[in-house]
Amino acid sequence: MTRLQVGDEHAGSRLDHVLGVLVPGLGTSGARRLLAAGAVRVDGRAARKGHHVAAGQTIEIDDAPVGAAVDAARAPSEGEPTVAWLYVDDAIVAIDKPPGVPSHPLHVGERGTAAGAIAARFPECAAASPDARE
């Protein structure tokens, strides 16, 4: 079991976002999968993704699902390239894009791009621009 203490900097934030930041390689979508699986407790009680945490609360995470959620988050979606995740936090994602892989699609729905790999792991990034190619 993994135990995390909520610091002042995360007080008032949603639990899924806090987990995405505090658990390396997990991300918000991985945190949501853990919460849906019932693998997360706050102060000993089952938690939901919409829960807002307070400073000093203790978050407990079952270890087996954490590894599975992180592995699933790292696995590329069908048609998307495998990229190395160099750094991930609340505001920045840094990848090592393989040579020959386009950065972004030229046409809506095009697969096999670095942008597609990022959107597959972080679906919220797909809505960052009104242009579906971005």
Side-chain angles (χ1 to χ4, degrees):
M1 177 180 305
T2 301
R3 283 199 170 100
L4 306 167
Q5 193 78 24
V6 178
D8 291 335
E9 68 275 14
H10 297 297
S13 297
R14 281 177 44 142
L15 177 59
D16 54 342
H17 293 157
V18 172
L19 288 172
V21 171
L22 295 179
V23 179
L26 183 62
T28 304
S29 59
R32 289 179 184 147
R33 284 190 293 274
L34 286 176
L35 288 159
V40 180
R41 289 167 300 288
V42 176
D43 291 338
R45 295 183 172 196
R48 298 181 336 259
K49 71 178 178 181
H51 177 82
H52 291 267
V53 297
Q57 285 188 310
T58 302
I59 301 170
E60 298 173 336
I61 310 165
D62 296 336
D63 285 334
V66 170
V70 169
D71 289 344
R74 289 183 179 158
S77 294
E78 185 177 327
E80 298 303 344
T82 301
V83 297
W85 303 96
L86 303 176
Y87 180 81
V88 176
D89 74 11
D90 234 12
I92 297 172
V93 174
I95 64 169
D96 182 11
K97 182 182 80 63
V101 172
S103 296
H104 59 84
L106 296 176
H107 310 285
V108 175
E110 184 179 347
R111 295 212 174 272
T113 66
I118 292 170
R121 179 167 174 191
F122 302 101
E124 59 272 21
C125 290
S129 170
D131 185 340
R133 293 173 299 148
E134 296 177 352

